[in-house]
């Protein structure tokens, strides 16, 4: 069972974000990592919380022991108890190692100018727990030669010991060379210095936007009084600090989304400019009024309606220069109560780690454990490989635009936004969204006419005329569905501002159900703490018959298997086995028998109560002979009322991420969104749609005996 000790070269290397990102990377490839931090880098807060171990628990559901405080370490070293200190660290390590895991990540000790006595502790820890060392350096704009020298010299502390090097990671790279060229140059310089055994495990580019502080952090740091916007202190993030040194007419272009405006309260031109920008839809991060100066009462009455208490406004008695200086000196550490910021940083860093290098010489897991990070990783990798075109009919909706931009930046799919380009760009500008050049924007008015004949051909048996078709095509969902029907795109995602019926109806009319499918249903992928479960049907069919419920079970099992989940299907009811009776129980019993008869290759059992299906001890008690009870991965609910209520209760009460709904049973992929969908929800749905497009094309090929296969 390998142990890896991440050791910083110098200070401010971002060691915690690198350590946690490695946890994420390992989980994504199916490993079960544990985490250990011997010494707290910074003093504990008033509640005794250490941020890194807190995030390990919150983001990865681990339970690492608390690190030793700096005061404890200093006291033991001052008392000449250095050996006792290492033994105490090893004891804590053994407590962390007691967890169920197959690899251990240890975040090393960070020495600084005031605590040089910590410099040799990493070598002692590595030797004591037989850990392989990963060196972590702050690359910034260092030349390849300079970086190689730093890595080579840092390794000399371990070269004479039995410690093995795992490699090095370069963080915050901000140079001009492409990352691949920079990496090759550093490795070349290391080889020239004789360090050919040190592989590069990743180069992470400098990305300050991934670690934007909250207005809450600004208020704490400045010890400022909060005048307005209390409810938005935690959600408003600072992307740029703008010090009002000139008049508003010369600075209005700096008032961008995420800008924190710093100015004395008597700068009425700045206050007015901020209010006007807010009214125009620009989401400023907030205002800091300096010199303990407030705007005049008349001005406050003018700007207050514009700010609407949505923009945090702080007041400090420091002057503008001192305020700007203190903001520039604010520590980059992520507070323990800001998991969103740490998660964004962890995901960003994990994306830039070298997967092949991380896995080299590491024991392979006995089986791929599909944890939520592994599921997300698999979905994104499969979507990238699919390289599909996905149409987004709600092309002027802000969340949809941002999701399309993310999909293009990450190569998840080629998105087509339906909307007038000027309106799309205006919405993007007001929400601080940078639309990549390769995002395709299609003006519905310019293309609508070319789908009229094709739509009439599909619906003429229903009396559709060209005039009616052109009228229906004014609905962008219908237009997008016709683009899918004519194979101009591979999938469609809608629902952020449309109902489920608005999304599904055109698909049923124009795309139709797949061969052998009696209905369209849906599944949610529920990313539980330990594994991913499938819930169906929670979005489409209000009261399915027994025959329909059997088909939903089969569709859901096939969807689970397609995404790497071993399907063990539980047909959910308020009764387990023969313990209850009634028409609803009988429906589930019949559905179970029908599904088993249609697909004897699947593990399907029911009726089962939810606890009997999901909890091993309850399953053994209530259904001891069931092959599914206590270990179900696919939960099929008897009706929409039960399914939708259950999925939302689990999602909200357990703080579980749910991906979906993903529609199943259509001939081509069309997927619906919740109208409360977050940007990440839309991104994952686009990725699922791209993967479905590949799977459906493969199925059409099989069903046609090869005649409908792509070359």
């Amino acid at each position: 069972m390998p142990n890896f000790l991440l050791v910083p070269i110098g200070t401010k290397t971002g060691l915690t974000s690198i350590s946690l990102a490695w946890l994420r990377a390992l989980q994504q490839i199916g490993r079960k990592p544990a985490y250990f931090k011997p010494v707290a880098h910074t003093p504990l807060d008033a509640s005794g919380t250490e941020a890194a171990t807190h995030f390990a628990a919150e983001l990865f559901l681990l339970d690492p022991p608390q690190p030793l405080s700096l005061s404890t370490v200093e006291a033991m070293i001052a008392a000449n108890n250095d050996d006792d200190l290492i033994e105490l660290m090893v004891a804590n390590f053994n407590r962390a190692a007691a967890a169920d895991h197959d690899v251990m990540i240890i975040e090393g000790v960070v020495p600084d100018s005031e605590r040089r006595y910590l410099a040799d502790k990493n070598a002692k820890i590595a030797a004591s727990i037989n850990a392989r060392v990963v060196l972590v350096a702050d690359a910034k704009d260092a030349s390849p030669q300079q970086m190689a020298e730093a890595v080579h010299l840092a390794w000399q502390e371990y070269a004479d010991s039995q410690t093995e090097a795992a490699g090095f990671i370069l963080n915050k790279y901000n140079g001009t060379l492409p990352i691949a060229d920079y990496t090759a140059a550093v490795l070349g310089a290391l080889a020239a210095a004789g360090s050919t055994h040190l592989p590069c495990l990743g180069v992470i580019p400098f990305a300050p936007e991934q670690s934007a502080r909250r207005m809450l952090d600004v208020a704490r740091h400045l010890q400022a009084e909060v005048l307005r916007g209390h409810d938005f202190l935690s959600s408003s993030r600072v992307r740029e600090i703008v010090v009002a040194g000139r008049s508003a007419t010369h600075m209005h272009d700096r008032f961008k989304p995420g800008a924190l405006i710093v100015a004395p309260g008597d700068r009425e031109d700045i206050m007015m400019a901020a209010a006007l920008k807010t009214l125009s839809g620009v989401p400023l991060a907030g205002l800091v009024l300096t010199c303990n100066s407030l705007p005049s009462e008349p001005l406050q009455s003018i700007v207050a309606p514009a700010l609407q208490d949505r923009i945090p406004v702080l007041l400090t008695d420091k002057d503008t220069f001192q305020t700007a200086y203190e903001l520039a000196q604010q520590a980059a550490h992520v507070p323990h109560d800001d998991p969103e910021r740490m998660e964004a940083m962890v995901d960003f860093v994990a994306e830039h780690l070298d997967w092949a290098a991380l896995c080299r010489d590491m024991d392979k897991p006995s089986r791929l454990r599909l944890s939520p990070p592994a599921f997300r990783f698999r979905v994104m990798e499969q979507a990238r490989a699919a390289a599909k075109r996905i149409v987004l009919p709600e092309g002027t909706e802000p969340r949809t635009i941002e999701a399309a931009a993310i999909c293009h930046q990450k190569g998840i799919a080629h998105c087509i936004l339906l909307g007038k380009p000027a309106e799309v760009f205006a919405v993007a500008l007001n929400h601080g969204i940078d639309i990549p050049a390769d995002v395709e924007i299609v003006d519905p008015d310019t293309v609508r006419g070319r789908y009229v004949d094709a739509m009439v051909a599909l619906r003429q048996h229903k009396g559709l005329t060209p005039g009616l078709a052109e009228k229906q095509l004014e609905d962008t969902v219908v237009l997008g569905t016709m683009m899918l029907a004519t194979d101009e795109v591979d999938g469609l995602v809608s629902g952020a501002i449309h109902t489920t019926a608005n999304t599904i109806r055109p698909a049923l009319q124009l795309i139709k159900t797949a061969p052998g499918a009696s209905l369209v249903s849906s599944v949610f992928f529920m990313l539980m703490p330990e594994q991913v479960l499938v819930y169906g049907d929670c979005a489409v069919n209000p009261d399915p018959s027994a025959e329909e419920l059997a088909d939903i079970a089969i569709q859901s099992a096939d969807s689970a298997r397609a995404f790497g989940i071993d399907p063990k299907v539980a047909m959910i009811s308020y009764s387990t086995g023969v313990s209850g009776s009634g028409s609803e129980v009988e429906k589930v019993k019949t559905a179970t028998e029908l599904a088993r008869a249609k697909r004897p290759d699947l593990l399907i059992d029911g009726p089962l109560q939810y606890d009997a299906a999901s909890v091993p001890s309850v399953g053994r008690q209530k259904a001891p002979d069931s092959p599914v009870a206590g270990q179900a991965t696919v939960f099929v609910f008897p009706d929409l009322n039960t399914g939708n209520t259950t999925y939302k209760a689990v999602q909200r009460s357990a703080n579980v991420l749910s991906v979906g709904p993903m529609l199943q049973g259509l001939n081509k992929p069309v997927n619906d969104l919740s109208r409360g969908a977050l940007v990440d929800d839309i991104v994952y749905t686009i990725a699922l749609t791209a993967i479905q497009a590949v799977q459906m094309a493969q199925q059409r090929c099989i069903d046609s005996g090869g005649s409908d296969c792509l070359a």
Side-chain angles (χ1 to χ4, degrees):
M1 191 173 301
N3 302 321
F4 294 91
L5 175 66
L6 278 69
V7 176
I9 302 176
T11 59
K12 299 182 179 179
T13 60
L15 193 64
T16 292
S17 61
I18 297 290
S19 301
L20 297 179
W22 204 346
L23 292 177
R24 174 62 46 82
L26 290 168
Q27 285 188 342
Q28 288 175 336
I29 58 175
R31 303 305 295 253
K32 294 178 65 177
Y35 172 80
F36 173 58
K37 183 171 183 174
V39 180
H41 300 164
T42 55
L44 306 182
D45 67 9
S47 64
T49 301
E50 197 281 323
T53 50
H54 172 79
F55 287 129
E58 177 130 347
L59 302 183
F60 304 99
L61 302 173
L62 302 177
D63 187 23
Q66 283 292 318
L68 300 175
S69 67
L70 281 172
S71 59
T72 298
V73 173
E74 289 172 344
M76 294 187 74
I77 292 176
N80 259 343
N81 289 333
D82 198 76
D83 290 340
D84 291 344
L85 173 62
I86 297 298
E87 288 178 13
L88 182 56
M89 291 181 182
V90 171
N92 286 340
F93 167 81
N94 288 335
R95 286 207 294 274
D100 181 20
H101 70 287
D102 56 20
V103 59
M104 173 72 77
I105 301 302
I106 305 105
E107 182 177 337
V109 179
V110 180
D112 57 28
S113 58
E114 297 178 4
R115 301 179 179 89
R116 296 193 181 276
Y117 52 81
L118 295 175
D120 67 338
K121 296 299 176 287
N122 287 314
K124 292 183 178 180
I125 293 170
S128 299
I129 61 177
N130 194 28
R132 299 173 65 190
V133 168
V134 179
L135 300 172
V136 179
D138 183 351
K140 289 186 181 175
D141 55 355
S143 70
Q145 184 64 39
Q146 290 171 327
M147 202 70 263
E149 289 175 359
V151 172
H152 179 73
L153 288 173
W155 176 246
Q156 299 313 302
E157 294 184 33
Y158 306 88
D160 295 333
S161 67
Q162 297 299 313
T163 304
E164 184 181 357
F168 64 92
I169 296 172
L170 305 181
N171 196 16
K172 305 178 187 177
Y173 173 63
N174 198 30
T176 56
L177 281 176
I179 286 179
D181 295 343
Y182 184 78
T183 304
V186 172
L187 289 172
L190 277 170
S195 293
T196 56
H197 61 293
L198 291 173
C200 181
L201 305 178
V203 177
I204 295 89
F206 181 60
E209 69 278 4
Q210 298 293 333
S211 189
R213 72 192 83 170
R214 304 166 298 179
M215 284 299 294
L216 175 62
D217 304 321
V218 172
R220 288 172 176 171
H221 182 65
L222 296 177
Q223 296 181 322
E225 178 184 357
V226 181
L227 300 178
R228 308 183 69 91
H230 292 75
D231 292 340
F232 292 86
L233 286 170
S234 294
S235 58
S236 185
R237 294 195 177 268
V238 179
R239 311 289 175 182
E240 182 182 7
I241 297 173
V242 179
V243 180
R246 304 182 69 188
S247 66
T249 55
H250 292 93
M251 297 195 65
H252 70 92
D253 59 330
R254 298 285 305 281
F255 287 39
K256 300 175 182 178
L260 169 60
I261 312 302
V262 180
D266 58 6
R267 286 290 305 276
E268 298 193 351
D269 60 327
I270 297 297
M271 300 301 109
M272 288 293 293
L276 289 172
K277 284 290 185 178
T278 302
L279 278 177
S280 67
V282 177
L284 299 175
L287 303 174
V288 174
L289 308 183
T290 62
C291 306
N292 207 27
S293 175
L294 292 173
S296 64
E297 289 293 334
L299 181 64
Q300 289 188 47
S301 64
I302 293 173
V303 301
L307 298 180
Q308 296 180 340
D309 277 339
R310 297 178 65 87
I311 305 298
V313 180
L314 312 181
L315 178 66
T316 176
D317 57 1
K318 302 175 178 68
D319 62 32
T320 303
F321 175 83
Q322 186 181 5
T323 300
Y325 176 80
E326 290 197 13
L327 288 174
Q329 299 301 311
Q330 187 171 357
H333 296 299
V334 181
H336 77 275
D337 61 351
D338 192 3
E340 179 184 354
R341 177 176 163 193
M342 180 56 80
E343 181 122 43
M345 179 60 70
V346 163
D347 285 340
F348 177 80
V349 174
E351 287 179 6
H352 291 86
L353 294 176
D354 186 332
W355 302 95
L358 288 174
C359 294
R360 193 174 298 129
D361 299 328
M362 186 185 290
D363 296 334
K364 301 297 181 184
S366 57
R367 67 181 180 88
L368 182 64
R369 175 178 170 269
L370 196 64
S371 64
F375 173 79
R376 293 194 295 263
F377 175 70
R378 172 176 291 200
V379 166
M380 292 307 177
E381 287 295 293
Q382 289 183 345
R384 289 187 184 101
K388 295 300 182 181
R389 291 167 55 84
I390 308 299
V391 64
L392 307 175
E394 299 160 326
T396 58
E397 198 279 322
R399 292 166 295 167
T400 302
I401 296 172
E402 186 173 354
I406 292 171
C407 285
H408 279 252
Q409 289 163 357
K410 296 187 175 184
I412 295 168
H414 180 90
C415 296
I416 297 95
L417 295 168
L418 295 185
K420 293 190 173 298
E423 187 175 350
V424 174
F425 282 111
V427 172
L429 181 64
N430 280 339
H431 288 80
I433 304 168
D434 184 15
I435 300 180
D438 57 344
V439 172
E440 191 174 344
I441 303 173
V442 175
D443 185 342
D445 293 342
T446 64
V447 300
R448 188 177 295 118
R450 71 183 191 217
Y451 299 103
V452 172
D453 291 344
M455 186 169 174
V456 170
L458 289 170
R459 299 285 293 166
Q460 60 185 353
H461 65 289
K462 292 292 186 179
L464 185 68
T465 65
L468 288 173
E470 188 164 5
K471 182 68 175 175
Q472 290 182 22
L473 284 164
E474 292 178 3
D475 183 338
T476 55
V477 177
V478 176
L479 177 60
T481 306
M482 278 306 303
M483 294 173 71
L484 180 58
T486 55
D487 293 324
E488 292 187 20
V489 297
D490 303 298
L492 178 148
V493 173
S494 179
I497 52 177
H498 287 86
T499 65
T500 297
N502 290 145
T503 298
I504 295 179
R505 188 183 302 110
L508 290 172
Q509 294 172 345
L510 303 170
I511 303 298
K512 306 187 184 305
T513 56
S518 64
L519 80 170
V520 174
S521 65
S522 72
V523 289
F524 281 91
F525 295 94
M526 306 296 291
L527 276 59
M528 309 297 280
E530 293 297 328
Q531 63 178 327
V532 179
L533 302 177
V534 174
Y535 283 8
D537 169 16
C538 304
V540 178
N541 297 283
D543 188 18
S545 66
E547 292 77 11
E548 290 172 333
L549 197 59
D551 285 346
I552 291 171
I554 293 169
Q555 289 178 347
S556 301
D558 287 341
S559 292
R561 180 168 286 160
F563 286 90
I565 300 167
D566 184 21
K568 296 180 180 179
V569 184
M571 308 294 283
I572 300 301
S573 173
Y574 61 78
S575 169
T576 293
V578 296
S579 65
S581 61
S583 59
E584 291 302 311
V585 177
E586 292 304 317
K587 180 177 81 168
V588 175
K589 286 181 181 178
T590 303
T592 303
E593 294 167 358
L594 290 171
R596 284 172 173 168
K598 287 183 177 181
R599 290 289 298 276
D601 60 305
L602 293 174
L603 285 178
I604 304 175
D605 197 15
L608 290 170
Q609 292 165 290
Y610 191 96
D611 58 349
S614 60
V615 182
S617 60
V618 179
R620 287 192 296 269
Q621 178 186 359
K622 292 188 175 183
D625 299 325
S626 171
V628 172
Q631 52 184 328
T633 57
V634 179
F635 294 73
V636 178
F637 297 98
D639 52 53
L640 185 60
N641 184 45
T642 306
N644 192 269
T645 301
T646 302
Y647 116 75
K648 287 187 176 178
V650 172
Q651 179 192 39
R652 299 300 180 183
S653 300
N655 194 27
V656 165
L657 175 64
S658 62
V659 178
M662 186 184 84
L663 300 183
Q664 45 194 17
L666 286 168
N667 206 28
K668 293 181 180 179
V670 172
N671 278 313
D672 180 41
L673 298 166
S674 164
R675 275 169 284 176
L678 303 176
V679 172
D680 282 350
D681 298 332
I682 302 175
V683 170
Y684 280 117
T685 303
I686 291 171
L688 290 176
T689 306
I691 298 169
Q692 277 186 296
V694 174
Q695 295 166 349
M696 290 180 178
Q698 292 171 342
Q699 190 60 49
R700 286 195 296 272
C701 173
I702 294 170
D703 293 341
S704 66
S707 63
D708 193 22
C709 297
L710 297 175

